[in-house]
Amino acid sequence: MALKNTLTRGLFITFEGAEGSGKSTQIKLLEDYLKKKGARVLVLREPGSTKFSEDLRRVLLDKKNGFLSEKTELLLYLAARAQLVKEKIIPALKEKKIVLCDRFQDSTLAYQGYGLGLDRKVIELLGGFVSQGARPNLTFLLDIPAEEGLRRAGGASDRIQERPLAYHRRVRNGYLKLASENPKRIKVIKAKDIKNTQEEIRKLIKEFLLKHL
């Protein structure tokens, strides 16, 4: 399936999952695959991928900032997203690129909503406000038990990872709840070995593109 000059609009594809689910590796493999097919691809991460958003990422993940309140954390993540959407995502979609983003609104609902207990309706409202209409066309949720994911991640290397196991279990359960509510968009993939996981992602992306080209 050649993709060069065949996309009539940009496509926004997100990768979600708890700590240690392997999102970064799978995004890189999919990027290489799509580029070989002739697609123009932009890879982004949340929070990050702009200077301002990367600055906020360092604040959010720094263990020294354990004093941040839940609401402060939420607003900082949303501020990083607002800048990313304006600077990177919307321009790329207008140029008919395929945008692959490591985390987006589902992460906020899972981590700050289900994980921290913040009002999910408020998160949805604010998330819609900062996203300016940018919504994923397709989401891959790499599912892994919290214990296994943390083990793969190598321990509490940042402020989020060092939270109790019960928190990370709530995050995972939140993701699965979101997937059950959005089955057409969110595709749950068991985070197995790298090769089999990527094969499943490519199978799903082929099916998706056949319907949307």
Side-chain angles (χ1 to χ4, degrees), residues 80-161:
R81 178 173 307 145
Q83 195 64 29
L84 178 64
V85 168
K86 181 178 181 180
E87 267 192 53
K88 301 284 186 173
I89 295 177
I90 288 180
L93 293 176
K94 287 181 177 178
E95 293 173 3
K96 300 179 183 179
K97 292 181 180 179
I98 296 179
V99 177
L100 304 180
C101 194
D102 186 342
R103 300 196 183 283
F104 202 66
Q105 173 75 352
D106 295 312
S107 277
T108 313
L109 287 165
Y111 279 79
Q112 285 73 50
Y114 287 96
L116 293 179
L118 293 179
D119 191 322
R120 292 190 292 278
K121 289 184 179 179
V122 172
I123 293 174
E124 290 173 352
L125 178 65
L126 293 175
F129 173 68
V130 302
S131 298
Q132 300 181 52
R135 297 180 179 177
N137 302 106
L138 176 66
T139 297
F140 295 115
L141 171 56
L142 304 185
D143 180 47
I144 188 171
E147 300 91 333
E148 175 65 13
L150 290 170
R151 185 190 66 78
R152 286 190 190 182
S157 61
D158 63 42
R159 192 177 66 88
I160 305 299
Q161 288 179 2

Side-chain angles (χ1 to χ4, degrees), residues 10 47 72 76 113:
T72 300
L76 289 175

Side-chain angles (χ1 to χ4, degrees), residues 28-110:
K28 176 59 180 170
L29 291 171
L30 182 59
E31 176 192 17
D32 293 342
Y33 169 76
L34 291 173
K35 284 184 174 179
K36 287 179 181 178
K37 296 293 183 180
R40 295 185 301 153
V41 182
L42 176 65
V43 174
L44 304 170
R45 71 173 181 177
E46 271 214 342
S49 295
T50 74
K51 182 183 183 304
F52 176 74
S53 302
E54 288 290 340
D55 289 343
L56 288 184
R57 182 186 183 88
R58 284 188 286 274
V59 171
L60 283 160
L61 299 184
D62 192 337
K63 289 183 180 181
K64 295 178 182 178
N65 295 329
F67 60 88
L68 291 178
S69 76
E70 292 88 347
K71 291 178 181 178
T72 300
E73 178 177 304
L74 169 64
L75 293 172
L76 289 175
Y77 273 111
L78 292 172
R81 178 173 307 145
Q83 195 64 29
L84 178 64
V85 168
K86 181 178 181 180
E87 267 192 53
K88 301 284 186 173
I89 295 177
I90 288 180
L93 293 176
K94 287 181 177 178
E95 293 173 3
K96 300 179 183 179
K97 292 181 180 179
I98 296 179
V99 177
L100 304 180
C101 194
D102 186 342
R103 300 196 183 283
F104 202 66
Q105 173 75 352
D106 295 312
S107 277
T108 313
L109 287 165

Side-chain angles (χ1 to χ4, degrees), residues 154-173:
S157 61
D158 63 42
R159 192 177 66 88
I160 305 299
Q161 288 179 2
E162 72 176 2
R163 286 176 172 161
L165 179 59
Y167 167 82
H168 293 284
R169 285 174 172 165
R170 291 195 299 272
V171 169
R172 184 200 183 194
N173 290 336

